[in-house]
Each structure stands twice: as C-alpha cells, then as structure tokens.
Amino acid sequence: MALINNPSHKTWRIPLHLLLIFSLLAAGILGLGYFFYQYQIKFFQNITAAELNAIADLKVKQITTWRHERMNDAQLLANDPNFAGQVYDWFYGESQPGQKEKISKILSDLNQGSYVAVALLDVQRNLRLSIFEIKPELLPLIKKVAADAMRTKKVILSDLYQPPQSGEINMNLAIPIKLHRNNQEIMVGAVVYEINPHYFLYPIIHSWPNPSKTAEAVMVRRETSGKGLVFLSEPRHWQGPHLSLRKSLTETQMVSVKAVLGEEGIVRGTDYRGVSVLAANRIIPDSPWYLTAKIDIDEVNAPLRRWLYLIPILTIAMMAAAGLGVALIWRNRDVQLYRQQYESELERRALSLRYEYLTKYANDIILVMDKDGKIIEANDSAVGSYGYSREELFTLHLWDLLVDRRNSAAELEQIGEEARDGLRFEGINRRKDGTTFPAEISASLVEMGDKRIYQYIIRDISERKLKEKILQESEQQLRFFSSQLLIVQENERRRISKELHDELGPTLMILKFQLSSIEDRLPKNKKSLRSEFEALPHYLDDIIENVRRLSWNLNPSVLEQFGLTTAIKNLLEDFGKHYFLRWEPPQVEAINDLFPPLSQTNIYRIFQEALTNIGRHAQAEQISIGIEKQNGYVIFTIEDNGRGFDPQAMRNFENRQSGIGLAAMQERARMTGGRLEIRSRPGSGTHLTLTIPLQNGE
C-alpha cells in the first residue's frame, strides 16, 4: 500500500474564528473558577456566622438566666418578713434560744451551692454572722456593698472585681433586710452572698459546642472612665493576670470594641491578639456586660485551602481541554479526507492479521479440533500451559486434557451443536505433569464449506477462583461481625434503657416533688412567679413521659416478660396512638415459643424499624399487618398505601445513609435464618414480607 503524503504547511494555519472560540472559552473558564472560589468562601463564612449567632444567643440566654436566678434568690430573702423579724429579734436581744441557728439555716438553704460564702451585717456594718470563711481582704468590699444596699434599699448584684492583694475574681449579691412595724420601715441589716464566677459564670462563657483551635467567647465591659474596655472573662490566648487585659475604644477594628460601641450581630475585625476574626456581638440585658463569640478567619477558610491548589489545576486542565477540543476540530477537517482513503485498506489488513495474531500470541489457550476431537492447531499459550510440546499436542484429543472427560465424538458433536451460537462453561484441565487448574472454556463451531472444525478458547481462572474464595470468606466474616454488632447494639440499648429508667426517671420525679414543695412555700402575693411554677410540673410530666417512651423503645421489657406476640401487639397499639392512620389489628397467632430470644428481638426490631419508616416518611393513610404460619414458615407482612420509594436507589452509594435502616433490617432477617423482601416504587406504597423458617419443623 502506497504511503500517503503529509499535508502541506498551509494546513497548520489556525482559522481566526477558532482562535476567537478558544479565547471565549478560556475567559469563561477563568471567570467560572474565580466565581466558584468566591462562592465557596461566602458559603463557609455564612455557615460559620450562623453557628456563631446561635452560640452567642445561647450564651446570652444562659448568662441572663443566671443573673435572673441570683436576683430572684435575693428578692425571696428581701421580701420575707419572717426572716427580717427573726434577724431583728436576734440583733436586739428579743430572740428565742437557737435563733442564730435558724437564721444560719435559712441562709444556707438559699445558698444551695450557688455561692461560696454568706455574710450577715447589721446597720452599723458589723459582721454578725458568716457562713463559710470570709477572707479578710474581702471584708471591706463586702461592707461597702452592704452599705450601698441598705442606703438604696435595693438588691445589688455587683460587677466582677479583683480584691487588692488577691488573684481571685469575685462578685457580690447584696440584699437589704427591711422590717415593717407600726407602719414604719425599719432597716435591719444586709445579707451579702459572695459569688465565685469560676463555678458558674465562666464555664458558661468558656464552653464551646464543637472542637476548635481558635474559637472562644469573651465578656467585656466599658471602663468607668469611658475611654476603654476591660475583659471580664479569661481569654483563651491570654496568659496575663485576671482583669488585666484592657483595650482603648479608639481601636475600632477590634470586634469587642465594636460590641461596646453598640455594633451587634456578625462583625469582622481583629481580636485582642490583632488576628483577623469573624465574630457575633451581643449586649447582655440588664447588665453592663457585652459578649463576643469569635473564631479566626484562617480557621473559617481552612476547608478552602485545598481549593487554592485544585481550582488552578482544574482551570488549567479545562483550558487545555478547550484548546485540545478546538485543535481537534481544526485537525479533524484535514484528517477526514485521508481517513477515507486508507480506512478500507487498514480494515482489510487488520482482518487478515487478527486471527493469526490472536491464535499465536493470545494469553488465553486456543485449541482447534477436527470432528473427531483431535487437536489440529494450538497456540503458544497452550504449549506453555499444558507442558506438552506442539508436536505432542497434535497427537492428543480434547478429552485427554479434561478431567471431566468428553470421551466420544458424539459428545463432541453435541457440544458443537450447542456451540453454534457460542457456548461457555467451566471445567478442570489437566497438565502433562498431572496437575490441574480450573478454566473457563468458550467453544464455537466453525464451518468451512463442508468441513467442520471446533475452536476452544480456554482461560486459566485459578486466580479468579482464589479471589472468589477469599471474597466469600470475607463476606462470611463481615456477616458475622455485622450480627455481633447488632447483638452489642441490643446490649447497649438495654444498658441505656436501664439507666434512663432507674436513674433519670426517679431523678425527674424527685425534681417534680421539689418543685411542688417550692411552689407551696412561695408567697401568695407572687402571682406571676406562682404561675410560672405551676407550668413546670406539666413540663416535667412531658419530659418523664418522653424518657419512659425512650426507655421502652430502647429495651421493651414486655418482650422479655410476655413474649413476642404481646410485644408486637403493644408496638402496634403505641403506633396507632401517635400516627393517625386507618388500620385493623391483625390476628396474631401464638408465636412466642417458635423462635429463640435473639430471633424474637430481631423480629421485633424489624417491625419497629418498618413502622417508624411508615410514620416518618410514607405519608400513608392506611396500613395492613399480617402474621401467619404456613408450610413450616412464619410469614410477617406489613403493607402501606403511602408514597413508596425506589429500593434500588436506596442501595446506591449516594444514598447509603438513607438506606442504612433497610440494610440493618436485611441483616436482622438473615440472623433469624429468614429473608426479607421489600417491594415498592414511588407513588405505589410499600409491601414488606419477612419469611422465617420454623426451627422445629412445625
């Protein structure tokens, strides 16, 4: 065949319209890459901003609640005339024996672990009674706040402060004690509770819901001079003394300064380290405090770092692909002509060489037999695989190489008839040295005029068989581990259920009784406070009921006490109470003694998962349940008229999370020795059939 001349140099000129197309594609790809990166930055920052807002709101709510609880404690004591009378009688010598101990008990009862010390002072600011140790350096400050409370006749919750010659941070709750006698208001004294913020306030501020290297919340207030702010909490990355970190209000880029200046919500700026951060600012109501929840911008943008490398690579690759595409279009115009010229010649030459090449150099064994089964042709792979020389192979018949021998021409003829449209089977082959190997055999009949020949393509599948064996063993191990995991899961459910029932349930009941006791002791003139207390027992009742249902769902004790039949009936009744569906209770036969305990648990969990899926996802209006014994099997059926789903789609990789419940149901069915069939399609409801053989052959 004559060689085709190379195209002239004029062919290499790129048309202007193709250059224009490439330029537009390149510009579009660059713009797409840029906008995609900007979108990712905004996306991650929006997610972080939403998290910061939620965290800041939660902490402000917790701090506000904590302050209100302290003020409520104080109001209870300040408005108690009995307590004021007892203190007055004790101070002025009209008390009964043991009056001091009664006063100490009242102050201790109100404490309940919320305060570190309590001081009772008279109107001359003399310390008359203290509960727990009052440090000497704190006494002047306690006397001052007590005097302020008696002077203003109001409860005072002081700001955080650090006493001289002390490294500790404290707060004081000062409560004036007033007595009304003969239409006169008599100031009796003051009670001062010492608060250590490390016990309650600081843990609220410093806690963070998820791991983070830079995220933190800080609380600040404006300095009395009005020119700066002081950090009240202990910043995560500050190692100095408490209350020593101060910043000027002129540093307007600092997020905490923005909070003090009234800028709430999501802000960007720097923190006390000078590092760029994203923050959520909040003003804490009824206090001089401001809260900032923040995280470093570098940590927010950390997930995007991989895009810094990937986007340029993808952009370059797409531009290269665009250029290659344009080049291919350009070159395709020229090669079409040449292709038409030599395509037919290449096809002819390829056909003539293909059979010779395949038979001689193919990796598979190729044997050609005559009508009597005698080998008349063999390739190099046959020689190497069987250990015979080519001349020795030509003296053998096909059945000399097979363990399952085809020992007659009639059988070969039968194989040939079946092989007209292609025949494939597996067999064991024998080498010259007597060793064997498994093989996949493809047989075909070739008619050459009035002559028939048989071609066998034989592939050694020893490695494939070994892999299949290893895979089968791995599947058996995986199934064993899966069943053990479900068993461990059931044991853990029982443990959690027992803890919920034996520990959390009684604790909630005790809490309910304590609330009722507190409600009885509330003054009758506190109608709003009593109204709030009246709602708490109902709220606790709902919590107790939810804990009971959760404990029952984790470990339905009725299954162990009364058996599978009663457990399924109770499950169906509970389902009917919570989902408004039409259904008829099934006629459940006595099946308690038909299955061992583990199988009963698995059957119950399959029912529980199926009903849960119907209630949550099916949007069904009616369901039907069937349980019956039939020909040595127990058949359980659950059918609904809901929206249905595609079972195959649930098994896809993208939906592996959605289909984990179905996989667990299938595994539980296998553990019982049965099978689970699920028939469903979108819009046509779902039909579930669980078939389990009876072990005793009933």
Side-chain angles (χ1 to χ4, degrees), residues 60 118 171-172 256-257 339 343 374 472 540 543 548 579 611 646 695:
V60 168
V118 187
M171 291 180 66
N172 290 325
S256 294
V257 171
R339 179 177 299 168
E343 194 173 53
K374 185 178 180 180
Q472 184 178 12
L540 272 178
I543 296 177
R548 184 196 66 80
Y579 298 97
L611 293 176
D646 184 359
Q695 297 184 358

Side-chain angles (χ1 to χ4, degrees), residues 626-647:
I627 303 175
E628 62 177 350
K629 290 190 291 185
Q630 188 180 99
N631 299 327
Y633 293 86
V634 177
I635 302 175
F636 304 84
T637 59
I638 305 175
E639 185 174 9
D640 68 78
N641 64 345
R643 62 179 183 176
F645 65 97
D646 184 359

Side-chain angles (χ1 to χ4, degrees), residues 541-553:
D541 288 338
D542 292 339
I543 296 177
I544 293 170
E545 176 62 18
N546 289 333
V547 170
R548 184 196 66 80
R549 291 188 68 250
L550 178 59
S551 174
W552 193 90
N553 287 333

Side-chain angles (χ1 to χ4, degrees), residues 679-691:
R679 299 196 305 273
S680 181
R681 61 180 180 178
S684 298
T686 301
H687 184 92
L688 182 148
T689 303
L690 173 62
T691 305

Side-chain angles (χ1 to χ4, degrees), residues 357-465:
Y357 177 84
L358 288 176
T359 55
K360 185 172 179 61
Y361 300 107
N363 291 328
D364 294 336
I365 300 168
I366 299 179
L367 299 175
V368 179
M369 278 76 61
D370 60 16
K371 63 182 181 63
D372 297 324
K374 185 178 180 180
I375 299 174
I376 59 176
E377 187 58 73
N379 66 348
D380 293 345
S381 293
V383 175
S385 298
Y386 288 112
Y388 294 100
S389 65
R390 190 178 300 274
E391 291 73 16
E392 289 175 327
L393 284 174
F394 292 160
T395 64
L396 301 176
H397 288 74
L398 173 64
W399 46 80
D400 295 325
L401 302 176
L402 301 177
V403 174
D404 183 13
R405 301 181 61 173
R406 304 284 180 173
N407 52 15
S408 69
E411 292 182 355
L412 184 63
E413 181 72 16
Q414 181 180 357
I415 294 176
E417 292 296 333
E418 297 174 353
R420 286 183 180 273
D421 298 326
L423 176 65
R424 180 172 294 179
F425 59 94
E426 293 184 2
I428 304 299
N429 284 234
R430 181 185 292 109
R431 301 185 182 91
K432 181 179 180 179
D433 59 5
T435 59
T436 60
F437 63 92
E440 182 182 71
I441 303 170
S442 178
S444 61
L445 173 64
V446 180
E447 295 184 352
M448 302 179 64
D450 58 351
K451 184 178 181 181
R452 289 183 172 185
I453 62 174
Y454 302 93
Q455 177 180 273
Y456 277 66
I457 300 177
I458 303 172
R459 176 172 296 176
D460 188 345
I461 57 173
S462 300
E463 184 177 353
R464 190 179 79 186
K465 289 293 185 181

Side-chain angles (χ1 to χ4, degrees), residues 41-61:
I41 291 177
K42 186 176 181 181
F43 175 75
F44 283 107
Q45 289 187 358
N46 287 342
I47 291 178
T48 305
E51 292 178 352
L52 290 174
N53 271 328
I55 292 171
D57 288 339
L58 177 62
K59 291 184 179 297
V60 168
K61 181 178 179 181

Side-chain angles (χ1 to χ4, degrees), residues 159-164 166 168-169 202 218-235 238-251 254 256-257 260 271-274:
D159 204 346
L160 295 163
Y161 67 89
Q162 185 176 18
S166 174
E168 297 182 358
I169 307 299
Y202 283 173
V218 295
M219 191 172 71
V220 301
R221 65 166 170 81
R222 187 190 293 262
E223 289 185 317
T224 55
S225 63
K227 297 181 180 180
L229 61 84
V230 59
F231 283 77
L232 301 177
S233 61
E234 301 170 354
W238 172 257
Q239 303 298 327
H242 300 316
L243 300 181
S244 63
L245 180 56
R246 302 172 185 269
K247 295 293 181 179
S248 171
L249 293 184
T250 59
E251 300 181 42
M254 185 178 299
S256 294
V257 171
V260 173
D271 64 356
Y272 55 88
R273 302 169 295 164

